[in-house]
Amino acid sequence: MHTIQGWAGLRLAGMALALGFLGLGPVVSADEIDTAADTTVADDLISTTSVVDDSVVETTSAPTSPAAETAAPVQAAPANPLLRFSTSGTFGDTSTISGGNLLNFNGIIQQTVRTPSNVSFGEFQVLPDLGANVSTTYEDTPFTLAMTVGEVNGQVPNLNQTPIFIEGLLNGTVTGETQSNVTATFNLDPENLPTFQVDDFIVTITKLDPVDIAPFTTNGGRTSIQGRIEAVQIPEPASIAVFLVALAGGLGLRRRALARKDA
């Protein structure tokens, strides 16, 4: 009669998942995995003991600890896809503008950026040929910035959650061609940043700077909207399944080898 210990628990599985999915360490050989399993601290093991005869070797084990039942999900990895994007902007409630709107928004048309990167989302431009006495005041005037993504790594994405819309406000006064103290601010909540998915990438606008709009006599009245975008890649479900099958098969072979050794 022989007593056979069950397979190693959460520590080995966590180590294997981290190496397999995130690519943060070197490839681990079977001998190294065996060594890790043999030296795993006893209180981290989840094992069952079964008594078998000399001719049949079969063991089963099941995680029973709360930690095993609530194992951490696989984390997305930082990525740098090449995005082709465009932007546009619209002004909201014109009743908050005294004197008529003197601003245009020049959008981005099919520009490319590789994340993570700082990027321009377009520009405000003060109209030319304003008389010295022409003045317009913006008071919490709503403004909406829209962004679309047309390609990811040179391909049209099958899954595309754009356009995405970001709200902002305009405050200040434009007077003639030589004076402007208008500021545009955008509603970016650090706890709820603008985020969208294109294929297996999650893209986030992590920063959108306030804009102090210059008068026409400075750079032709053009003021760029600057920000930053980043992305992570979602692990493919098929890759996860293949890895788990391979892991289970390897542990099964190890149990059989231990059984033959004890026999």
Side-chain angles (χ1 to χ4, degrees):
M1 306 289 285
H2 302 281
T3 300
I4 301 171
Q5 294 297 322
W7 49 291
L10 295 179
R11 180 173 297 179
L12 177 57
M15 177 182 67
L17 286 173
L19 294 174
F21 294 133
L22 301 184
L24 299 182
V27 176
V28 180
S29 67
D31 291 339
E32 291 171 326
I33 292 177
D34 288 348
T35 301
D38 292 338
T39 58
T40 302
V41 179
D43 59 1
D44 285 336
L45 294 177
I46 302 172
S47 64
T48 60
T49 301
S50 59
V51 178
V52 298
D53 60 26
D54 292 339
S55 60
V56 179
V57 177
E58 185 66 31
T59 63
T60 60
S61 63
T64 57
S65 69
E69 296 175 356
T70 59
V74 177
Q75 298 296 318
N80 56 349
L82 186 67
L83 306 178
R84 191 190 76 184
F85 72 98
S86 301
T87 65
S88 67
T90 56
F91 297 86
D93 184 4
T94 56
S95 67
T96 62
I97 306 174
S98 61
N101 184 28
L102 300 180
L103 295 176
N104 279 334
F105 178 82
N106 302 324
I108 298 294
I109 304 299
Q110 295 185 334
Q111 297 296 303
T112 58
V113 62
R114 187 175 297 280
T115 65
S117 180
N118 299 323
V119 66
S120 173
F121 289 92
E123 64 182 16
F124 290 103
Q125 184 172 21
V126 177
L127 297 180
D129 301 324
L130 299 177
N133 296 325
V134 174
S135 181
T136 287
T137 298
Y138 300 83
E139 185 175 354
D140 287 337
T141 302
F143 176 83
T144 302
L145 175 67
M147 176 180 179
T148 60
V149 173
E151 289 186 356
V152 179
N153 294 330
Q155 302 293 326
V156 176
N158 293 318
L159 193 161
N160 190 345
Q161 291 183 341
T162 65
I164 184 172
F165 301 94
I166 303 171
E167 304 298 327
L169 294 174
L170 297 169
N171 282 282
T173 301
V174 175
T175 303
E177 293 187 337
T178 60
Q179 185 178 12
S180 171
N181 61 10
V182 178
T183 298
T185 55
F186 296 92
N187 302 326
L188 253 65
D189 179 0
E191 302 299 324
N192 189 27
L193 292 171
T195 300
F196 58 90
Q197 183 175 351
V198 283
D199 282 346
D200 58 344
F201 296 98
I202 300 295
V203 182
T204 302
I205 299 174
T206 58
K207 184 175 70 169
L208 201 55
D209 295 331
V211 179
D212 295 324
I213 298 174
F216 181 77
T217 50
T218 300
N219 194 36
R222 297 187 301 272
T223 306
S224 178
I225 301 173
Q226 298 293 317
R228 182 176 176 83
I229 59 177
E230 301 178 8
V232 295
Q233 186 166 15
I234 305 171
E236 297 181 6
S239 298
I240 297 174
V242 169
F243 176 79
L244 292 177
V245 170
L247 178 63
L251 292 173
L253 290 175
R254 173 172 174 76
R255 290 199 300 272
R256 293 185 179 91
L258 289 174
R260 287 195 297 270
K261 180 179 178 181
D262 289 343

